[in-house]
């Protein structure tokens, strides 16, 4: 079994910062990418940022220049530094990992439970 556990959500004021962390645990052979998605009330889940095993990153246009995704200091972890937060960043943030559990298995996606981020104006 693979588990993704997020931490670091909470309440911030507009212009402030929050840092999210995600740790993947369980039987993991290799990770292709880890990233963050978010879902605001009444909206579809959307990509926020992703980092590949090779270190390439991709960001949603709405967060470019404000958010930074990076590998954590611990193996199989990923962080999202969120600066210059806006009320429209308010959403539940989900950690995502595309990984294989064995050498011969196909890669599949796993999701965390989500962590609430609320930005007040």
């Amino acid at each position: 079994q693979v588990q993704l556990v997020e931490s670091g959500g909470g309440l911030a004021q507009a212009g402030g910062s929050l840092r999210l962390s995600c740790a993947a645990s369980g039987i993991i052979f290799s990770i292709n990418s880890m990233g963050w998605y978010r879902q605001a009330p009444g909206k579809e889940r959307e990509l926020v940022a992703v980092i590949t095993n090779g270190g390439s990153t991709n960001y949603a246009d709405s967060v470019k220049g404000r958010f930074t995704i990076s590998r954590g200091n611990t193996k199989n972890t990923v962080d999202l530094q969120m600066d210059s937060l806006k009320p429209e960043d308010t959403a539940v943030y989900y950690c995502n990992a595309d990984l294989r559990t064995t050498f011969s298995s196909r890669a599949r996606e796993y999701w965390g439970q989500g962590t609430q981020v609320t930005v007040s104006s």
Side-chain angles (χ1 to χ4, degrees):
Q1 285 283 7
V2 174
Q3 281 191 319
L4 301 183
V5 178
E6 302 111 333
S7 61
L11 177 65
Q13 290 188 331
S17 298
L18 285 173
R19 188 176 183 88
L20 304 182
S21 294
C22 173
S25 63
I27 301 175
I28 298 171
F29 176 76
S30 65
I31 296 179
N32 295 325
S33 66
M34 293 187 74
W36 292 92
Y37 287 70
R38 68 185 180 187
Q39 188 166 18
K43 294 188 177 182
E44 294 186 353
R45 191 174 296 190
E46 62 176 1
L47 172 71
V48 176
V50 63
I51 185 166
T52 68
N53 184 47
S56 298
T57 58
N58 189 37
Y59 295 91
D61 288 342
S62 59
V63 307
K64 282 181 181 177
R66 301 189 298 121
F67 291 9
T68 304
I69 190 169
S70 62
R71 296 192 187 109
N73 292 326
T74 307
K75 186 179 180 182
N76 297 341
T77 61
V78 65
D79 298 327
L80 183 68
Q81 178 67 37
M82 304 185 293
D83 298 318
S84 303
L85 284 163
K86 302 177 180 180
E88 50 263 45
D89 294 320
T90 295
V92 177
Y93 283 69
Y94 296 91
C95 181
N96 169 276
D98 182 73
L99 60 85
R100 290 192 292 166
T101 54
T102 68
F103 173 79
S104 58
S105 66
R106 300 178 69 174
R108 55 157 287 193
E109 289 188 325
Y110 293 83
W111 294 91
Q113 294 280 67
T115 184
Q116 177 69 45
V117 170
T118 303
V119 183
S120 62
S121 58

